[in-house]
């Protein structure tokens, strides 16, 4: 075994799994039909990897929804409330809920855009190996095709650290307390796999690249000492990825009986040094993750070869691999026929990355890894040019804006988008397909903007928006207009379940050839005497939801995007737009897994936002918006952005965030969302009033804004009108009798 990958996309080159699953959900097909397509997709992956010449091939990387949920089923950790259901009904109920039975929680898989279904465990959870265990079944299925594979499992330690305590679990219960019991089941599973003929198994333990305390490291090594000591089991590859493993954790693992450990040399270049300091690795195999599993660039094979070489001498054997599963990149570059060839030649998707590994292996054997011809960018670090702070103090700006805008206390507004109706989507599709021309499309969008402005005037909102009808997606819309970005046709990546996203590719220097939003916004402003808020996507979010060039430091790329936005903001201001919102919903998402790396990240992330927004006059009001309710480690950064007004998701946490922000010294305007837009339910005047009164305990009325939690694009008009009407009434009531 010289080359392998840690995992592969499961959706199919044409998102076949998505369509098959959705057909099944809609009752258009039955379970047998879904099964057949799933089996075909698995076979395609295995045979494709074999034909590409990959050394060892993973299995059980397939999932009908999510690999963590699969693990929950595998070890029978299913909550009681789903137990009356069976098979696929039970599985999909846990994943997405059914009438009156909500789904399990879903959350982000580390700092990727993949989301997993969070296991819910309590002290009474009894694990057991289910019949027809999926890893065994898939191993045998591949074997039936003549392909020997290495089943991939979520490791028991990571599984428990990603789980949460069930709502009825007693205080102080931690899922990790169940580790011994869970290891029992893994031991049984490994025995069964060995019986089926499995030679190697892969246990994914990405949590070991995060911050672990001594007790956790002790539990981790104890678990693997047990698994390593089993008399009947396949050889074990423990996969780490997404960062650098601490010396303590690696020492703990190296002291167990496991045979191999993978290290991510792309996200965690420090891993080679850490490994070199662990003498217990001498007898083991190290798997060098040298091909980036999370980005779309062709590898510089000379560099990859050097990274591989840093592990030689540390272990008995070193093999080549991807840094993590290829789940996070699109399937096949060959599907892209209309990409600019100069961009295309620099790219590698999952299938191409496998070929790169095989080629690198051959070159290393021959002693000549070849440098890729990818354009090497500048390596000097970004320098902020000193123009990233507002010229004047917040109090001066506050007074200037108050005088100019003349807004009431508890000013009402929305987050930007209004419902994206079927007609809007049709107009966009017709325009793209050439069925309507530019003028026809512009007319349709203007009509929609006029409608949204009229509605907001009727509702008596204070600060209006144009409604974003022209935006397919808040990042893609800007990426399509900025130079340095490209779009793919089939570059889909699984985000959760059947939901896939197609991130744009930021490949070159980002510049703004022409204004991007000025026409729509000024048109909206021409229809009303009330202020219309300009609406832009911030630099961090523009990077977080794209594939970003890796030939220059991320801060430098953020700097370029920020400058393009700064120009847009200047144009909006010059065109008479007095309030401009720069959304940063992804600010927290890019936060590195290790606390030690937080400050450096926040410094450039905040710097980019400030660079984009600091060129305006005191009278121009800058807003920002973020939509998650746990700010925790970034709460200080919110203040550092120095936006005049920040709107945040707060309804589900009952405004707690307002107090948290206040305690962290935040003193600018704040718009805690007074209702949750994720549900079609219309909130009452009373509950929104109660939310506002709660917020008023810590924020003065002239700095408190009244708005929903997030944009309204996924909602329908009837509930939107009713909810906003109640929102305005709530604000009026509180103004009248505070
Ligand atoms: N302005 C965007 C909207 O209203 C913000 C979306 C977001 O926060 N994700 O849709
Ligand atoms: Zn939002």
């Amino acid at each position: 075994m010289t080359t392998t990958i840690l995992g592969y996309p499961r959706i199919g080159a044409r998102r076949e799994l998505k369509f098959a699953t959705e057909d099944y959900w809609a009752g258009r097909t039955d379970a047998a039909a879904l099964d057949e397509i799933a089996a075909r997709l698995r076979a395609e992956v295995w045979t494709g990897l074999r034909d590409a010449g990959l050394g060892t091939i993973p299995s059980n990387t397939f999932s009908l929804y999510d690999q963590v949920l699969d693990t929950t089923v595998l070890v029978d950790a299913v909550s009681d409330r789903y137990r009356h259901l069976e098979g696929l009904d039970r599985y999909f109920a846990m994943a997405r809920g059914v009438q009156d039975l909500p789904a399990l929680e879903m959350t982000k898989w580390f700092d990727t855009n993949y989301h997993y279904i969070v296991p819910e465990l309590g002290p009474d959870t009894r694990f057991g190996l289910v019949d027809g265990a999926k890893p065994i079944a898939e191993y045998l299925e591949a074997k039936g095709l003549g392909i020997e594979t290495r089943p991939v499992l979520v490791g028991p330690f990571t599984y428990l650290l990603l789980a949460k305590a069930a709502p009825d679990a007693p205080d102080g219960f931690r899922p990790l307390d169940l580790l011994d019991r869970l290891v029992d089941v893994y031991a049984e599973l490994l025995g069964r796999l060995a019986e089926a003929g499995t030679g190697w198994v892969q246990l994914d333990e990405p949590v070991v690249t995060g911050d672990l305390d001594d007790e956790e490291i002790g539990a981790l090594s104890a678990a693997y000492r047990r698994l390593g000591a089993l008399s009947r089991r396949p050889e074990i590859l423990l996969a780490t990825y997404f960062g650098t493993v601490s010396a303590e954790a690696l020492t703990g693992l190296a002291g167990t009986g496991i045979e191999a450990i993978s290290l991510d040399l792309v996200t965690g270049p420090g891993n080679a040094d850490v490994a070199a300091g662990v003498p217990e690795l001498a007898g083991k195999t190290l798997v060098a993750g040298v091909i980036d599993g999370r980005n779309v660039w062709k590898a510089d094979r000379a560099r990859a070869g050097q990274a591989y070489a840093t592990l030689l001498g540390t272990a008995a054997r070193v093999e080549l691999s991807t840094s993590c599963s290829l789940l996070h990149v699109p399937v096949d570059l060959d599907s892209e026929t209309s990409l600019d060839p100069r961009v295309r030649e620099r790219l590698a998707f999952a299938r191409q990355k496998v070929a790169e590994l095989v080629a690198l292996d051959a070159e290393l054997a021959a002693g000549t890894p070849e440098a890729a011809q990818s354009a090497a960018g500048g390596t000097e670090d970004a320098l902020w040019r000193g123009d990233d702070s507002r010229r004047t103090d917040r109090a001066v700006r506050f007074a200037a804006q108050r005088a100019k805008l003349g807004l009431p206390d508890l000013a009402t507004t929305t987050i930007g988008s209004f419902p994206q109706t079927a007609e809007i989507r049709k107009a966009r599709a017709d325009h793209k397909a050439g069925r309507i021309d530019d003028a026809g499309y512009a007319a349709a969008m203007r009509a929609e903007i006029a409608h949204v402005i009229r509605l907001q005037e009727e509702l008596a909102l204070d600060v209006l928006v144009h409604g974003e009808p022209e935006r397919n997606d808040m990042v893609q819309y800007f990426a399509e207009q900025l130079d340095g970005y490209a779009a793919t046709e089939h570059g889909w990546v699984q985000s959760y379940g059947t939901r896939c996203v197609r991130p744009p590719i930021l490949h070159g220097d980002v510049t703004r050839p022409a204004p991007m939003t000025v026409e729509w916004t000024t048109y909206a402003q021409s229809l009303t005497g009330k202020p219309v808020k300009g609406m832009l996507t911030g630099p961090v979010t523009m990077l977080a939801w794209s594939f970003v060039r890796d030939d220059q430091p991320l801060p430098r790329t953020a700097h370029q995007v920020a400058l393009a936005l700064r120009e847009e903001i200047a144009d909006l201001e010059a065109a008479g737009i007095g309030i401009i919102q720069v959304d940063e919903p992804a600010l927290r998402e890019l936060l590195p897994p290790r606390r030690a790396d937080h400050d450096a990240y926040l410094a450039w992330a905040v710097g980019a936002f400030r660079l984009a927004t600091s060129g305006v006059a005191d009278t121009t009001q800058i807003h920002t918006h973020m939509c998650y309710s746990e700010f925790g480690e970034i709460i200080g950064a919110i203040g550092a952005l120095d936006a005049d007004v920040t709107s945040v998701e707060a309804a589900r946490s009952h405004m707690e965030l307002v107090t948290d922000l206040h305690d962290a010294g935040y003193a600018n305007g704040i718009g805690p969302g007074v209702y949750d837009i994720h549900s079609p339910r219309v909130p009452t005047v009373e509950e929104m009033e109660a939310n506002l009164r709660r917020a008023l305990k810590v924020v003065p009325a002239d700095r408190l804004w009244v708005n929903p939690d997030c944009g309204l694009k996924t909602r329908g008009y009837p509930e939107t009108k009713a909810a906003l009407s109640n929102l305005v009434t709530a604000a009026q009531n509180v103004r009248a009798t505070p």
Side-chain angles (χ1 to χ4, degrees):
M1 157 162 130
T2 48
T3 54
T4 193
I5 56 172
L6 299 186
Y8 201 78
R10 49 182 78 128
I11 54 175
R14 289 285 185 276
R15 287 181 294 159
E16 291 88 339
L17 185 59
K18 169 194 176 69
F19 300 118
T21 309
E22 289 175 354
D23 281 346
Y24 172 76
W25 288 343
R28 289 187 290 267
T29 55
D30 60 10
L34 176 58
D35 221 46
E36 193 188 311
I37 293 175
R40 205 187 65 220
L41 289 168
R42 290 192 290 266
E44 269 169 28
V45 170
W46 293 323
T47 52
L49 295 175
R50 177 196 59 196
D51 296 348
L54 189 69
T56 54
I57 296 170
S59 60
N60 200 40
T61 60
F62 177 83
S63 177
L64 281 175
Y65 204 95
D66 163 51
Q67 70 271 12
V68 179
L69 179 60
D70 292 348
T71 311
T72 297
V73 172
L74 173 71
V75 302
D76 201 25
V78 174
S79 313
D80 286 343
R81 62 180 187 278
Y82 303 104
R83 286 206 177 260
H84 64 287
L85 298 167
E86 276 172 44
L88 283 183
D89 289 344
R90 180 194 278 186
Y91 183 78
F92 287 129
M94 290 192 279
R96 51 200 295 269
V98 285
Q99 193 62 39
D100 301 327
L101 181 56
L104 289 168
E105 198 179 294
M106 177 170 77
T107 197
K108 284 173 90 60
W109 176 248
F110 301 89
D111 57 347
T112 73
N113 199 17
Y114 179 79
H115 301 72
Y116 70 93
I117 302 293
V118 184
E120 247 180 38
L121 309 174
D124 302 331
T125 303
R126 295 277 173 271
F127 301 112
L129 188 62
V130 287
D131 293 340
K134 179 173 173 288
I136 305 175
E138 286 189 21
Y139 171 78
L140 293 173
E141 187 178 315
K143 201 175 181 129
L145 299 167
I147 300 173
E148 189 56 37
T149 59
R150 180 186 71 244
V152 178
L153 311 168
V154 176
F157 184 70
T158 290
Y159 179 79
L160 293 178
L161 282 196
L162 295 184
K164 64 169 205 179
D168 56 358
D171 277 357
F173 166 78
R174 299 169 320 165
L176 193 58
D177 299 341
L178 304 175
L179 187 58
D180 270 345
R181 279 189 223 163
L182 185 57
V183 169
D184 289 343
V185 177
Y186 274 73
E188 187 184 344
L189 174 62
L190 294 193
R192 297 265 195 89
L193 281 166
E195 230 165 73
T198 309
W200 277 87
V201 69
Q202 173 181 327
L203 291 165
D204 280 7
E205 295 287 8
V207 294
V208 307
T209 62
D211 293 310
L212 296 181
D213 60 29
D214 291 347
E215 193 196 339
E216 287 165 338
I217 292 175
L220 169 73
S221 358
Y224 280 92
R225 262 197 308 277
R226 280 189 61 198
L227 293 175
L230 292 172
S231 56
R232 201 184 40 152
R233 62 163 176 89
E235 301 200 62
I236 295 174
L237 163 60
L238 182 138
T240 77
Y241 43 86
F242 298 154
T244 307
V245 186
S246 69
E248 295 75 23
L250 195 56
T251 304
L253 288 170
T256 72
I258 62 174
E259 284 74 19
I261 297 174
S262 82
L263 298 171
D264 178 342
L265 298 181
V266 176
T267 317
N271 272 318
D273 283 344
V274 175
V278 179
E280 293 87 342
L281 288 170
K284 311 245 180 231
T285 295
L286 282 177
V287 175
V290 295
I291 299 285
D292 193 347
R294 288 182 60 174
N295 214 333
V296 292
W297 309 104
K298 205 179 253 184
D300 177 335
R301 292 212 288 271
R303 273 241 298 274
Q306 283 156 16
Y308 160 83
T310 60
L311 295 181
L312 295 171
T314 296
R317 253 183 326 276
V318 184
E319 295 168 359
L320 291 170
S321 177
T322 48
S323 61
C324 61
S325 168
L326 293 170
L327 183 69
H328 310 289
V329 293
V331 177
D332 190 359
L333 185 63
D334 288 353
S335 307
E336 301 299 325
T337 48
S338 44
L339 262 178
D340 178 344
R342 283 163 309 177
V343 175
R344 194 177 198 287
E345 69 181 16
R346 294 169 52 205
L347 299 176
F349 293 175
R351 199 158 83 85
Q352 288 68 37
K353 284 172 186 283
V354 172
E356 287 185 316
L357 272 172
V358 173
L360 176 60
D361 183 39
E363 286 164 4
L364 285 171
T368 56
E370 204 179 275
Q373 315 97 330
S374 80
T379 47
E380 89 261 37
D381 234 311
L383 292 175
W384 304 108
R385 302 192 312 190
D387 46 8
D388 62 340
S389 55
R390 302 288 283 271
R391 277 183 302 276
T392 46
D393 186 72
R394 64 187 65 208
V396 177
R397 275 153 34 205
F398 179 79
Q401 290 163 19
R402 201 110 182 122
K404 175 168 178 229
L405 296 167
L407 293 168
D409 288 354
L410 295 139
T412 54
T413 189
T414 59
I415 303 305
S417 57
F418 267 70
Q420 286 252 341
T421 59
E423 298 84 77
I424 298 174
R425 280 196 295 267
K426 180 167 185 304
R428 209 167 34 235
D430 284 348
H431 182 227
K432 204 170 164 220
R435 290 187 291 268
I436 55 174
D437 62 9
D438 291 353
Y441 176 70
M445 293 301 116
R446 281 172 170 246
E448 180 61 27
I449 290 170
H451 162 247
V452 168
I453 293 288
R454 221 178 307 119
L455 172 63
Q456 294 171 91
E457 289 207 313
E458 279 163 23
L459 288 164
L461 286 155
D462 298 310
V463 172
L464 312 193
V465 295
H466 80 289
E468 306 178 25
E470 78 288 6
R471 299 187 191 177
N472 35 19
D473 170 273
M474 65 187 291
V475 168
Q476 198 186 330
Y477 177 75
F478 293 97
E480 278 169 4
Q481 299 186 71
L482 290 166
D483 283 348
Y485 265 107
T488 65
E489 272 175 277
H490 303 285
W492 296 100
V493 178
Q494 186 177 20
S495 173
Y496 61 88
T498 62
R499 168 135 177 94
C500 301
V501 294
R502 206 170 30 151
I505 297 175
L506 194 169
H507 60 83
D509 291 330
V510 172
T511 52
R512 187 195 69 142
M516 303 181 283
T517 63
V518 177
E519 237 183 88
W520 304 124
T521 315
T522 51
Y523 174 66
Q525 185 65 81
S526 75
L527 302 173
T528 176
K530 293 192 166 172
V532 172
K533 183 160 66 165
M535 197 59 61
L536 304 172
T537 302
V540 177
T541 302
M542 286 300 296
L543 300 193
W545 295 346
S546 305
F547 288 117
V548 180
R549 61 190 293 186
D550 63 355
D551 59 350
Q552 67 179 15
L554 215 50
R556 187 184 175 85
T557 308
H559 186 269
Q560 291 179 345
V561 175
L563 286 176
L565 290 169
R566 188 176 167 104
E567 290 172 17
E568 183 73 11
I569 290 171
D571 281 349
L572 284 168
E573 186 181 42
I577 302 302
I579 305 182
I580 300 164
Q581 178 172 311
V582 179
D583 293 324
E584 282 291 23
L587 185 69
R588 199 185 78 161
E589 189 171 311
L590 284 194
L591 196 69
R594 288 286 186 84
R595 274 186 292 275
D597 302 324
H598 286 187
D599 286 352
Y601 161 70
L602 288 172
W604 70 254
V606 168
F609 182 90
R610 292 174 64 126
L611 179 61
T613 54
S614 60
V616 295
D618 285 351
T619 45
T620 297
Q621 192 168 66
I622 296 291
H623 289 217
T624 189
H625 165 72
M626 280 156 234
C627 39
Y628 27 84
S629 46
E630 276 171 41
F631 281 80
E633 291 147 322
I634 66 160
I635 200 131
I638 311 294
L641 295 175
D642 202 23
D644 299 302
V645 179
T646 303
S647 65
V648 285
E649 179 173 325
R652 277 183 291 187
S653 64
H654 307 288
M655 307 280 121
E656 269 165 34
L657 194 58
V658 182
T659 312
D660 295 349
L661 275 168
H662 175 81
D663 292 348
Y666 182 84
N668 291 0
I670 167 102
V674 292
Y675 80 88
D676 176 12
I677 57 88
H678 299 96
S679 139
R681 178 177 166 270
V682 175
T684 63
V685 174
E686 292 70 35
E687 69 188 78
M688 289 192 276
E689 260 191 68
N691 278 340
L692 289 173
R693 291 186 204 282
R694 228 170 269 144
L696 276 175
K697 294 205 176 109
V698 276
V699 187
D702 57 5
R703 304 208 186 219
L704 184 62
W705 285 67
V706 184
N707 48 257
D709 262 347
C710 192
L712 302 164
K713 68 172 170 237
T714 57
R715 293 271 62 89
Y717 265 106
E719 75 257 22
T720 296
K721 282 187 202 167
L724 290 178
S725 168
N726 288 355
L727 175 144
V728 171
T729 307
Q732 286 165 347
N733 291 351
V734 179
R735 273 178 215 151
T737 42

